[in-house]
Amino acid sequence: MSTMGDGTRAVRAGLPEPEQYEPTLPGPVFAAHFHLSGEPVGPYTYGRDTNPTWTHLERAIGELEAPGEDVSTTVFASGMAAITAVLLSQVRTGDTVVLPDDGYQALPLVREQLTAFGVEVRTAPTGGDAQLALLEGAKLLWIESPSNPGLDVCDIRRLVAAAHEAGALVAVDNTLATPIGQRPLELGADFSVASDTKGMTGHGDILLGHVTCRDPLLTADVRRWRKVVGAIPGPMEAWLAHRSLATLQLRIDRQCTTALALAEALAKRAEVTGLRYPGLPSDPSYGIAVRQMRRFGSVVSFELADRETAERFLAALRLVDDATSFGGVRSTAERRGRWGGDAVPEGFIRFSVGAEDPEDLLADVERALDEAVR
């Protein structure tokens, strides 16, 4: 499938060989145990270890992460389960980890837990490849690019090369881009990690995460961690996720096209400051983004004057839900400062573009901005 287009690959990914009178995508397998006589050498023995529905989904994600290559994916109950599986399967007391200080809101909680376990944690911003200065003696470098919610981008190839030279593994949180927007393994990373709650499944109704690796030993570590902590997805969630992958390219292309149009429209508004979108030619990260990204994501971030203006804007929107998360087919937006975990101004808006008609969505945003600043 390495020569196929993204849309073809998405609709075919992970499907089993055709069987007469069987569905093209088998239904979810609900099983805590399987028939098992003699030695437990088969692929399915107990429901916390393996499940046929996971297998189909893991193969599908692997085909999207690295088309035509021999990689292994492990699915988890959430993005945070995937993130912690990588970190806690690789790091021991006395090791050093380098994290971004502008990444996903829950990363500070991870930092606290790592520190409690006796791990040294160093942090630096995503922008400017600032993590380069912290790699000496590190066991693992964690990259989030584009970063959430600030949408900074770093040079992944450059950071990977420096980290490997320093003896560190590299994990890339690819949640915002998805595998059809950016392929971390092709950029040299050891782990490609994502919260599939977001753009991968795209409907805001599933919690899921995954880790993809080339190295079978790293995969074994991650899978052992999943078994130990039991952070497994339900078969129904896994089946729904696989079904949702079929529209991945359609959804992401629509969202990215509209996100760029939204960014261009916002750039003309005097009341909007701090506008960020990696696909906008005027964005500080554009030069790096075009070298390593194939699509630029569905999220646009910007600032309004203050908390009150931001809240008036959000309240005035009719086609956009005031909700957290991103990547769904229905547009959402929120004032990120309400959570208290991101270093953003009170008027900072994270806007996730959905699959609505671009003209309708942009008109709604323009009208809401007019109402917010009267």
Side-chain angles (χ1 to χ4, degrees), residues 200-229:
M200 281 287 277
T201 56
H203 290 76
D205 54 7
I206 302 170
L207 289 172
L208 201 78
H210 80 266
V211 178
T212 303
C213 308
R214 278 199 185 91
D215 187 335
L217 295 179
L218 296 179
T219 295
D221 290 340
V222 170
R223 293 203 168 187
R224 180 181 181 277
W225 183 261
R226 181 178 67 179
K227 177 177 180 177
V228 168
V229 301

Side-chain angles (χ1 to χ4, degrees), residues 58-59 61-73 185 212-215 219 223:
E58 289 171 342
R59 288 174 180 167
I61 294 174
E63 290 170 14
L64 295 170
E65 286 276 12
E69 297 190 41
D70 186 13
V71 298
S72 295
T73 296
L185 298 184
T212 303
C213 308
R214 278 199 185 91
D215 187 335
T219 295
R223 293 203 168 187

Side-chain angles (χ1 to χ4, degrees), residues 4 28 38 45 48 52 58 64 69 92 96 115 133 163-165 178 192 240 247 304 329 335 346 352 364 374:
M4 292 182 181
T45 58
R48 192 182 69 254
E58 289 171 342
L64 295 170
E69 297 190 41
R92 304 288 182 269
T96 297
T115 301
H164 286 169
E165 186 176 352
T178 80
S192 180
L240 286 169
T247 60
L304 297 177
V329 291
R335 191 182 66 81
E346 286 293 307
S352 173
D364 191 40
R374 280 178 184 168

